[in-house]
Amino acid sequence: MATLVTPTDKTTEKVEKKSSPVTDEKPERKQRPRSDDKFKIFSGTANEALADEVCHFLGMQRGQAQVTRFADGECYVQIQENVRGADVFVMQPTCRAVHDGNKSTSVDEHLMELLLMIDALKRASARRITVVTPFFGYARQDKKNRGREPISARLMADLFAAAGADRLMAVDLHTAQIQGFFDGPVDHLFALSILASHIEKKLDVSRVTVVAPDAGRVRVCERWTDRLGCPLAIIHKRRDPDVANQVRMFEVVGQVAGRTCVLVDDMIDTGTTIAKAAEALFEQGASQVIATATHGVLSGAAVDVLKNSRISEIVITNTLPVPQEKRFDKLTVLSIAPLLARAISEVFSDGSVTSLFDGQT
């Protein structure tokens, strides 16, 4: 038996060298680190429940991070685990939210949270940072309608890039052109399959007409008609340029008399536009109106407006948090978590996000 001699030993012994026996067995490879160690999901405070649901579908725990505020309102963020060399996904819809029953945080506060978290991850040597914003705030300000206006959606994309984001993932952007505002890969996800599946289960699609509430939704509604095999109608609306969220006039183009109309929009904010659109459809003889939207912003008196409308059902997803006080009998909230989980998994494994939507972009 050979003895290992250290420099502190006073005696030395000769160690015999023996040749290794020749065998057919391959040497054991060193085990690689688990991929979980390089795959992490963090979340701000805007919609932690959705982040936890996504992590549940992926079979992992949400990353540990501290988000607090100083007495003067400044936000403080600390990442509380090692992210060096990791592929990190940061989930945060830039929206208003209510915490602990009465404490409200604004769109801008959640935006600042997200930017600080991106910066913290970059300085902690994360290999790649993907911003997952189920609801892309300021998306309605995607162009100049009048002089001396900002293009706020472009500024949002610039802020993400300046903070250190490498990639962006969003669900049903207000307009597809926003993808070009971010100088990097953008994964644009669609909630169509989730919402359309719900409609197919509840209605006789041979009696359905898909209705675009404005010209900007026509392309999305065409995908609905391809999926359901039903006709398309369009509502032409004229907004008041001096009053936000106010519409002056509606005109219906298409056959809606005696049919079940499914209004398809990207978001429901105050609810007045969708309620007035439903009234215009009933005036043209529609037998029933169901409203669908990916994002349920539900600002101000939206709940009362929708409850008192003639709409039979309002179907949204949980890209934004929907507190209990904003839930009512007509409202159906579907989970977007399975779609986000699959898309995140495809990005991490260098797979195809487009394959999730049958090649549609």
Side-chain angles (χ1 to χ4, degrees):
M1 179 177 178
T3 303
L4 178 64
V5 181
T6 64
T8 55
D9 293 332
K10 295 181 180 179
T11 60
T12 59
E13 296 182 10
K14 185 176 180 181
V15 180
E16 295 182 1
K17 295 182 179 180
K18 295 184 179 179
S19 59
S20 300
V22 178
T23 65
D24 294 332
E25 296 180 1
K26 295 182 179 180
E28 184 179 354
R29 293 183 179 180
K30 186 177 180 181
Q31 186 176 4
R32 296 179 61 184
R34 290 179 56 193
S35 60
D36 292 3
D37 298 334
K38 300 301 180 184
F39 178 26
K40 297 180 183 292
I41 296 177
F42 291 88
S43 171
T45 61
N47 197 352
E48 293 177 295
L50 176 59
D52 288 336
E53 193 175 350
V54 169
C55 290
H56 173 74
F57 275 99
L58 292 171
M60 60 189 297
Q61 295 293 321
R62 177 158 56 97
Q64 296 299 308
Q66 180 185 8
V67 181
T68 58
R69 283 176 173 79
F70 293 104
D72 64 352
E74 287 184 5
C75 182
Y76 170 79
V77 171
Q78 184 193 26
I79 307 301
Q80 297 184 313
E81 59 183 82
N82 180 30
V83 296
R84 185 179 299 276
D87 199 347
V88 179
F89 296 80
V90 188
M91 292 188 62
Q92 176 90 316
T94 46
C95 62
R96 179 180 177 273
V98 177
H99 306 279
D100 302 325
N102 55 9
K103 185 178 179 182
S104 174
T105 46
S106 69
V107 174
D108 298 337
E109 287 178 295
H110 287 142
L111 172 59
M112 197 65 198
E113 264 185 33
L114 178 55
L115 294 174
L116 291 176
M117 190 166 284
I118 296 168
D119 186 74
L121 290 165
K122 178 184 68 175
R123 298 179 188 280
S125 301
R127 181 177 64 84
R128 182 173 65 175
I129 302 171
T130 301
V131 172
V132 182
T133 173
F135 176 71
F136 190 98
Y138 290 95
R140 284 172 285 186
Q141 302 179 48
D142 61 327
K143 60 183 177 296
K144 291 179 66 175
N145 293 309
R146 294 184 295 180
R148 298 179 296 280
E149 287 183 341
I151 303 179
S152 306
R154 172 59 192 265
L155 178 60
M156 286 275 290
D158 289 343
L159 288 171
F160 292 152
D166 301 296
R167 191 181 191 101
L168 179 64
M169 183 181 293
V171 182
D172 280 326
L173 291 167
H174 187 62
T175 55
Q177 72 185 41
I178 294 175
Q179 297 176 77
F181 292 168
F182 185 75
D183 190 18
V186 177
D187 299 301
H188 189 196
L189 311 183
F190 308 105
L192 185 155
S193 60
I194 296 171
L195 296 169
S197 294
H198 178 79
I199 296 299
E200 287 172 327
K201 292 175 184 176
K202 293 201 65 172
L203 301 176
D204 177 6
V205 293
S206 66
R207 303 295 303 164
V208 168
T209 294
V210 173
V211 182
D214 54 46
R217 293 288 101 192
V218 171
R219 181 69 188 95
V220 174
C221 288
E222 286 176 345
R223 292 174 181 163
W224 275 74
T225 59
D226 292 342
R227 165 74 180 257
L228 301 179
C230 59
L232 171 68
I234 302 170
I235 294 180
H236 175 64
K237 64 184 180 183
R238 294 177 64 86
R239 288 190 176 275
D240 189 335
D242 298 318
V243 182
N245 303 111
Q246 292 296 320
V247 177
R248 285 180 173 175
M249 182 178 62
F250 291 93
E251 296 175 357
V252 180
V253 180
Q255 182 58 257
V256 299
R259 300 184 66 84
T260 298
C261 295
V262 178
L263 277 163
V264 178
D265 210 346
D266 63 319
M267 70 176 76
I268 299 177
D269 191 354
T270 62
T272 55
T273 300
I274 209 80
K276 290 180 179 178
E279 286 300 322
L281 292 171
F282 281 117
E283 289 175 3
Q284 296 297 317
S287 61
Q288 183 183 12
V289 176
I290 293 176
T292 68
T294 304
H295 313 294
V297 182
L298 304 179
S299 302
V303 172
D304 292 332
V305 170
L306 295 172
K307 281 198 298 187
N308 297 326
S309 71
R310 297 173 66 185
I311 300 173
S312 303
E313 183 182 15
I314 297 96
V315 187
I316 61 175
T317 73
N318 61 343
T319 56
L320 300 177
V322 183
Q324 196 60 40
E325 59 269 20
K326 289 191 175 183
R327 295 177 182 258
F328 51 100
D329 292 340
K330 290 183 180 181
L331 184 68
T332 300
V333 182
L334 306 177
S335 177
I336 201 76
L339 174 62
L340 286 171
R342 290 170 61 196
I344 289 172
S345 179
E346 290 293 338
V347 171
F348 173 69
S349 61
D350 295 326
S352 171
V353 175
T354 304
S355 65
L356 303 178
F357 310 102
D358 299 324
Q360 295 182 6
T361 57

